[in-house]
Amino acid sequence: MSYSFIQPKIKPLLSIFTKIWLWAMLILTLLFIIGAMLLSVKIYLINSNSIELQEKYNETFQAIKNIEDKTKTTLIKRDMTLDIYNKNLILNQSLMNLFNLVPDGVTLTSIYLEDGSLKIKGITPTKDHFKLLFEAPLKSIFAISNTTFYQLPNGWYNFVSINKIDIAQMESLSDENR
């Protein structure tokens, strides 16, 4: 006997709403897992790229240090070259001044210039001519000035003049020129 007018239907295990929620949760879970994997791959790529960039940075930094070292060396060489150039200019001016000091009648045969000393050899008509016109300016420039004369058969004199400058005086002159 049956108490119902309709035929019983088999009840599904899961309702339609449960199936929708189940599929939605499954899709969301899969999307979350795929997103996590993509994020981990992206982090790995960023880390490997970061390591490469750090290596490039280190290489660039080392290249900059090398260029700075070369620049320092070049600046030192430039300063040394300028110093030599300035000393040569001063020496050239000093030699021109020395040649301008040589009076008429005095002939120079050789000049030896060393650090702090000047050796001049030449010929003069008389000792007095040399002492008056050439030795006096030399004594005003140099701290020590000694001259030796040798008479030639024609009456003129060979002379050797050795002049030395005081080292302290030379340092003060170089400081004034800077």
Side-chain angles (χ1 to χ4, degrees), residues 38-91:
L38 287 175
L39 187 62
S40 65
V41 168
K42 186 71 171 174
I43 289 171
Y44 173 76
L45 291 175
I46 287 173
N47 284 340
S48 65
N49 192 20
S50 172
I51 292 170
E52 291 173 10
L53 289 175
Q54 183 65 37
E55 289 173 359
K56 279 185 179 179
Y57 172 79
N58 291 340
E59 290 173 5
T60 305
F61 186 75
Q62 187 63 34
I64 289 171
K65 287 289 263 181
N66 290 341
I67 290 171
E68 286 176 351
D69 291 342
K70 287 179 182 179
T71 302
K72 286 179 185 177
T73 306
T74 304
L75 288 175
I76 289 170
K77 287 180 181 179
R78 183 203 64 176
D79 291 343
M80 289 172 54
T81 304
L82 286 175
D83 190 43
I84 291 170
Y85 176 75
N86 289 335
K87 284 182 182 179
N88 284 344
L89 257 164
I90 292 169
L91 180 64

Side-chain angles (χ1 to χ4, degrees), residues 106-170:
V106 174
T107 305
L108 301 180
T109 57
S110 66
I111 296 176
Y112 298 103
L113 184 62
E114 295 176 3
D115 286 339
S117 68
L118 175 68
K119 184 177 180 182
I120 303 171
K121 292 181 181 180
I123 301 171
T124 182
T126 64
K127 289 181 184 181
D128 293 334
H129 182 76
F130 177 84
K131 287 181 179 181
L132 184 64
L133 297 176
F134 196 44
E135 190 174 39
L138 286 175
K139 283 187 177 183
S140 69
I141 297 170
F142 295 96
I144 301 169
S145 184
N146 295 323
T147 305
T148 309
F149 294 96
Y150 303 99
Q151 189 167 11
L152 296 173
N154 63 0
W156 285 43
Y157 291 91
N158 266 342
F159 67 89
V160 177
S161 177
I162 299 174
N163 305 284
K164 294 184 180 180
I165 194 166
D166 188 18
I167 299 298
Q169 180 184 5
M170 189 165 75

